[in-house]
Amino acid sequence: MVIITLQRDKCIGCNYCAEFAPEYFRMSKKDGKSVLLKSTDKKGFFTLKTPIPDAFEPCDKAAKACPVKIISVKEV
């Protein structure tokens, strides 16, 4: 299980997450911030739990590239 979390309020719209993990992230046309696809929102933290092990590598690259460090990725 891979758990991806995005703290969307602090997003600066750099687009790295969408470049490294386009299957999981998109940039919003409304406000230019990142959107974690198929996630659930809980007080500004958007979380996606996926059983797909291949999700870890691209999302981890996106988290490491994020200049404001608002993406976390963990395998459980």
Side-chain angles (χ1 to χ4, degrees):
M1 178 74 71
V2 178
I3 301 172
I4 308 148
T5 305
L6 169 68
Q7 196 174 352
R8 191 171 189 276
D9 295 344
K10 296 183 178 181
C11 180
I12 60 170
C14 72
N15 198 44
Y16 284 135
C17 57
E19 285 182 36
F20 285 114
E23 308 86 15
Y24 301 96
F25 294 94
R26 293 278 185 279
M27 300 310 291
S28 170
K29 287 184 170 61
K30 278 187 180 175
D31 61 9
K33 293 185 177 189
S34 178
V35 175
L36 179 57
L37 302 175
K38 300 178 187 166
S39 64
T40 54
D41 178 17
K42 194 169 192 177
K43 296 185 180 178
F45 288 85
F46 290 80
T47 304
L48 171 65
K49 295 178 181 177
T50 178
I52 303 167
D54 290 347
F56 182 81
E57 189 179 334
C59 292
D60 189 51
K61 281 183 183 176
K64 288 176 179 168
C66 179
V68 287
K69 305 296 179 207
I70 58 168
I71 301 169
S72 73
V73 183
K74 56 186 169 187
E75 284 183 302
V76 290

